[in-house]
């Protein structure tokens, strides 16, 4: 990212929420479950599966975590009633991991019990490094009790190849992504090329171990590495899926679907859209520039 882009991105917190919302709407399905199901239906018509994420993270009150849990229970009912190809992804801090591990476990257990009843898979998203161990432990614990539970591994973390030993032994369904949080160099690779190499190694290791893998990226270099592994191992389509975020690179999404790969779109919804949307805008300096121009009342820029 250029110095100018970094400046633009670091100015985002100064932008009024109303302006951010206008530009962020492409990344979020809407504020209600009905909005989310409508987007899942459109994606299904394209041939894509979805995973629903109820927005809300870094919560401080127990009642907030219970509201989020209840919204997941409603989402699981709605997915089942619609017959659409979707599952759910949960941010552990949204259900209490930063307040009390037992609270997060209880909320997740309620969601996993409902998911098992409805025949739906549950994934724990991976947040920043203070939560890595707790999230892996929670995912393994829930998988042991409920079965169809997975989590996420981040290619920027130095520890991730090692974590795969334990998760591969448990045959856990893993999403592999680069990682989005700001981490110290002590813990995370900082060089883009090294992260891509590690991404390829992680995908190869988990697929070679015979474990279902969610290949979550919009980076053609990572997609190419994954495709090479899939080809080398002659894997059937049912043993992996590509995953992409709502609003990001619909052309790549179409190309992967047209090539016959399974693909799932991450569909966030809810009233707490702000933190998630700002993370997405930070990944996209050209949109961030539009946002700043929007705040300053300037017309659209050329880029
Ligand atoms: P990269 O950032 O290099 O992007 C590649 C290309 O994609 C860019 O050049 C651009 O064209 C396009 N692009 C990427 N982001 C864009 C945006 N916001 N707007 C427009 N274009 C964009 N992280 C995490 O830490 N924990 C998690 O649980 C998850 N979960 C998750 C689920 C799914 C389905 C996906 C796809 C991603 C995540 N992530 C995540 C986020 C992930 O770690 C990573 O930050 C983003 O996917 C961006 O990395 P890429 O691999 O896409 O490469």
């Amino acid at each position: 990212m250029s110095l100018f882009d970094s400046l633009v991105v670091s100015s985002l917190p100064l932008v009024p929420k109303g302006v951010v919302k206008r530009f962020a709407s492409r990344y979020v399905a809407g504020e209600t479950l009905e909005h989310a199901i409508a987007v899942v239906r459109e994606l299904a018509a394209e041939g894509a599966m979805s995973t629903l994420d109820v927005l809300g993270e870094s919560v401080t009150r127990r009642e907030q975590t219970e509201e989020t849990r209840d919204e997941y229970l409603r989402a699981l009912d709605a997915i089942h009633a619609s017959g659409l190809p979707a599952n759910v992804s949960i941010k552990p801090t949204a259900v209490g991991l930063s307040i009390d591990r037992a609270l997060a476990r209880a909320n997740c257990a309620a969601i996993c019990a409902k998911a098992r009843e409805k025949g739906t898979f549950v994934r724990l998203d991976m947040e920043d490094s203070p939560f890595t161990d707790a999230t892996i432990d929670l995912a393994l614990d829930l998988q042991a009790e409920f079965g169809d539970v997975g989590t996420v591994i981040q290619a920027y973390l130095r520890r991730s190849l090692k974590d795969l030993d334990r998760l591969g032994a448990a045959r856990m369904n893993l999403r592999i992504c680069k990682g989005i949080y700001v981490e110290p160099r002590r813990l995370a690779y900082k060089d883009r090329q090294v992260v891509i190499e590690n991404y390829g190694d992680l995908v190869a290791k988990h697929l070679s171990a015979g474990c279902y893998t969610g290949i979550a990226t919009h980076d053609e270099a990572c997609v190419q590495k994954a495709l090479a592994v899939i080809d080398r191992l002659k894997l059937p389509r049912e043993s992996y899926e590509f995953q992409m975020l709502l609003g990001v690179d619909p052309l790549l999404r179409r190309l992967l679907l047209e090539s016959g790969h399974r693909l799932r779109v991450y569909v966030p919804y809810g009233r707490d859209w702000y933190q998630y949307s700002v993370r997405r805008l930070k990944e996209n300096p050209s949109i961030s520039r539009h946002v700043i121009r929007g705040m300053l009342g300037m017309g659209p820029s050329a880029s």
Side-chain angles (χ1 to χ4, degrees):
M1 201 184 287
S2 70
L3 185 61
F4 178 70
D5 285 341
S6 305
L7 272 174
V8 168
V9 158
S10 57
S11 311
L12 274 178
L14 306 174
V15 177
K17 270 191 169 184
V19 177
V20 173
K21 190 173 188 179
R22 193 147 41 91
F23 289 90
S25 56
R26 63 187 281 189
Y27 300 119
V28 174
E31 296 205 350
T32 66
L33 178 57
E34 290 67 37
H35 290 134
I37 292 291
V39 170
V40 171
R41 184 163 282 121
E42 282 168 25
L43 290 164
E46 254 183 58
M49 305 176 287
S50 297
T51 186
L52 284 187
D53 166 43
V54 177
L55 288 168
E57 50 197 280
S58 307
V59 298
T60 51
R61 290 182 298 110
R62 297 176 85 89
E63 308 83 74
Q64 289 171 288
T65 72
E66 287 154 8
E67 281 166 24
T68 300
R69 173 201 65 200
D70 292 346
E71 184 59 28
Y72 272 107
L73 299 180
R74 277 193 289 279
L76 286 163
D77 279 331
I79 291 169
H80 188 253
S82 68
L84 290 164
N87 59 33
V88 294
S89 292
I90 307 173
K91 290 220 167 10
T93 61
V95 287
L97 195 62
S98 53
I99 302 173
D100 170 10
R101 282 191 192 198
L103 172 68
R105 207 239 176 242
N107 283 330
C108 284
I111 297 167
C112 290
K114 165 78 91 174
R116 182 169 59 184
E117 181 193 316
K118 303 290 180 192
T120 309
F121 174 79
V122 175
R123 187 179 306 282
L124 300 186
D125 284 346
M126 189 58 77
E127 298 171 273
D128 43 342
S129 55
F131 300 107
T132 311
D133 279 321
T135 302
I136 290 176
D137 290 347
L138 182 57
L140 286 165
D141 180 20
L142 292 167
Q143 184 199 30
E145 183 171 349
F146 298 99
D148 229 3
V149 177
T151 187
V152 179
I153 282 292
Q154 296 154 321
Y156 63 15
L157 287 189
R158 295 176 187 272
R159 58 178 284 171
S160 290
L161 262 182
K162 201 82 202 103
D163 285 332
L164 278 198
D165 291 339
R166 204 169 149 215
L167 294 163
R171 307 199 61 69
M172 186 168 277
N173 174 332
L174 287 182
R175 170 192 301 150
I176 299 178
C177 66
K178 283 186 184 172
I180 183 62
Y181 301 89
V182 179
E183 298 289 357
R185 183 163 170 225
R186 188 169 51 82
L187 301 178
Y189 299 116
K190 294 291 170 185
D191 184 290
R192 181 172 179 271
Q193 204 49 46
V194 174
V195 175
I196 291 172
E197 286 304 318
N198 201 37
Y199 191 97
D201 290 348
L202 290 165
V203 168
K205 181 165 173 171
H206 207 53
L207 283 174
S208 304
C211 300
Y212 192 88
T213 304
I215 303 156
T217 183
H218 321 92
D219 186 337
E220 297 263 23
C222 294
V223 169
Q224 187 279 331
K225 279 183 182 291
L227 288 173
V229 177
I230 290 163
D231 184 60
R232 179 162 51 79
L233 298 176
K234 306 212 177 332
L235 291 175
R237 300 296 196 216
E238 307 72 48
S239 52
Y240 63 91
E241 64 188 42
F242 284 91
Q243 298 186 349
M244 296 179 64
L245 300 172
L246 185 67
V248 180
D249 206 343
L251 175 58
L252 179 60
R253 185 164 89 205
R254 209 162 48 244
L255 291 171
L256 288 167
L257 284 168
E258 281 169 8
S259 308
H261 300 289
R262 287 154 62 94
L263 187 141
R264 189 177 300 277
V265 179
Y266 189 94
V267 178
Y269 77 97
R271 276 167 299 160
D272 289 337
W273 51 269
Y274 182 74
Q275 266 182 298
Y276 176 87
S277 304
V278 167
R279 275 207 304 278
R280 296 285 83 82
L281 288 170
K282 284 182 174 173
E283 287 172 314
N284 190 345
S286 69
I287 292 207
S288 301
R289 250 174 270 142
H290 291 305
V291 177
I292 304 285
R293 290 177 75 89
M295 175 182 74
L296 298 174
M298 298 158 77
S301 63
S303 58

